Amino acid sequence: MDRRELLQWMVAASGLTAVNRLSAPDLLTLGRDAHRATAEDSGRKSVFDAQAAISVAIAAEHIIPASATPGATQANVAAFIDTMLGGWYPPADRDRFLRGLAELDARSMARFGQKFTTATPAQQIALLESFDADVTAMRASSDSAANDHWFAMLKYLTVWGYCTSEVGMRDTLHTYPMPMRYDGNALVDA
């Protein structure tokens, strides 16, 4: 999946309950504010324990890997997801996401005999693709719960975090700094 497809997917999947009423400019503003808060608030209590933080970072990097442009790791997407789940998403969504990470490890143990973080990159990708197939099947059957699936949340937050990060906007989307409006008729008080 290329970056353009990811952006199209993000727009198509915008039915996530926590953010479905926000306009595109509001999503951009909230995303940029969350990145700023992540950078400024080192004393905030994390939603993730150490294992979960590594799992999210690995999964996000597999969703948006570094290539000719930065990946999710360089965009600090895992910290963005932690900030969003801790400060913006309802506790029920946060808890569903954390249960999903536990399910990720459980599937990894069942299939490969090791946790997600210690599996090989190929095994990690296979696990993520299996969750993606679950969400895709739910969407194909018009299951309205597809957007509530923890993996749909992970993908959405990964793309949102990437697209609103400075490196994502600057190096991939080429929209940083944000263009300013020029008004040639504006009067300046001297």
Side-chain angles (χ1 to χ4, degrees):
M1 179 176 283
D2 67 21
R3 311 264 194 237
R4 187 176 308 265
E5 288 176 292
L6 281 172
L7 292 172
Q8 291 170 342
W9 177 86
M10 186 177 174
V11 171
S14 64
L16 292 171
T17 56
V19 294
N20 66 349
R21 291 185 176 92
L22 297 177
S23 66
D26 289 339
L27 284 170
L28 176 63
T29 299
L30 177 56
R32 292 179 72 198
D33 287 349
H35 279 288
R36 192 173 303 112
T38 298
E40 294 171 357
D41 189 9
S42 60
R44 183 185 56 80
K45 185 176 180 329
S46 177
V47 169
F48 302 135
D49 61 22
Q51 181 73 26
I54 295 168
S55 293
V56 170
I58 291 169
E61 186 64 24
H62 284 310
I63 293 169
I64 304 180
S67 60
T69 57
T73 301
Q74 292 92 341
N76 207 17
V77 167
F80 171 86
I81 293 171
D82 186 50
T83 297
M84 294 305 297
L85 290 174
W88 293 93
Y89 274 69
D93 289 346
R94 180 194 60 230
D95 294 344
R96 181 175 44 254
F97 189 92
L98 293 173
R99 284 191 306 272
L101 291 177
E103 182 184 355
L104 177 64
D105 270 339
R107 271 198 203 181
S108 184
M109 290 298 290
R111 285 180 67 179
F112 307 117
Q114 56 191 333
K115 289 187 174 192
F116 175 75
T117 57
T118 57
T120 67
Q123 292 169 332
Q124 292 168 346
I125 291 169
L127 285 167
L128 296 174
E129 287 176 343
S130 72
F131 282 105
D132 194 38
D134 294 346
V135 172
T136 300
M138 292 171 78
R139 283 200 169 92
S141 69
S142 299
D143 187 344
S144 62
N147 287 334
D148 292 333
H149 192 284
W150 79 270
F151 188 74
M153 291 172 61
L154 172 65
K155 279 182 73 174
Y156 184 86
L157 286 167
T158 298
V159 175
W160 185 15
Y162 184 82
C163 291
T164 57
S165 71
E166 181 178 339
V167 297
M169 293 176 72
R170 181 187 63 232
D171 298 342
T172 302
L173 302 174
H174 307 290
T175 59
Y176 190 86
M178 293 298 292
M180 304 304 271
R181 181 177 160 273
Y182 172 75
D183 186 351
N185 292 322
L187 299 175
V188 178
D189 291 329

